[in-house]
C-alpha cells in the first residue's frame, strides 16, 4: 500500500513541473503578446477615431489616431 501513494505523488509531480515551466514562459511573454484581439481593444479611442475620420478626414484627426495607437500599444499591439 505504501507504493501506490508514492507512485501517485511522483506521477502528479511531473505534470506540475511541466505546468510551472509553461506558466513561466507565459508570464514572461504577456508584454509581447496581446491579451485581446485587436478588434476588441480600445473601443473608446477606436470609436472617436473612426467618427472623426468619417466627419473630417484622416488629416484632421491625427490627435485621435495617435491616441488610439497609444492605447493599442498599451494593450500589447505594435
Amino acid at each position: 500500500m505504501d507504493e501506490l501513494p508514492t507512485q501517485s505523488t511522483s506521477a502528479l509531480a511531473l505534470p506540475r513541473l511541466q505546468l510551472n515551466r509553461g506558466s513561466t514562459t507565459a508570464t514572461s511573454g504577456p508584454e509581447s503578446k496581446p491579451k485581446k484581439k485587436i478588434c476588441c481593444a480600445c473601443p473608446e479611442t477606436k470609436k472617436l477615431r473612426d467618427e472623426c475620420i468619417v466627419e473630417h478626414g484622416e488629416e484632421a484627426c491625427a490627435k485621435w489616431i495617435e491616441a488610439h495607437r497609444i492605447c493599442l500599444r498599451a494593450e500589447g499591439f505594435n
Side-chain angles (χ1 to χ4, degrees), residues 3-4 16 19 21 23 25 31 33 36 38 41 45 47 50 53-54 57 64:
E3 290 180 30
L4 285 175
R16 286 183 185 164
L19 289 175
R21 287 182 193 154
S23 65
T25 304
E31 294 179 38
K33 193 169 188 180
K36 301 176 184 178
I38 196 164
T45 57
K47 181 180 177 182
D50 292 348
I53 291 172
V54 168
W64 298 116

Side-chain angles (χ1 to χ4, degrees), residues 25-64:
T25 304
T27 56
S28 65
E31 294 179 38
S32 62
K33 193 169 188 180
K35 295 178 183 179
K36 301 176 184 178
K37 293 181 181 180
I38 196 164
C39 62
C40 302
C42 305
E44 300 86 14
T45 57
K46 181 179 179 182
K47 181 180 177 182
L48 291 171
R49 178 204 64 181
D50 292 348
E51 287 177 0
C52 183
I53 291 172
V54 168
E55 292 178 17
H56 307 290
E58 189 173 336
E59 297 80 26
C61 301
K63 178 177 90 171
W64 298 116

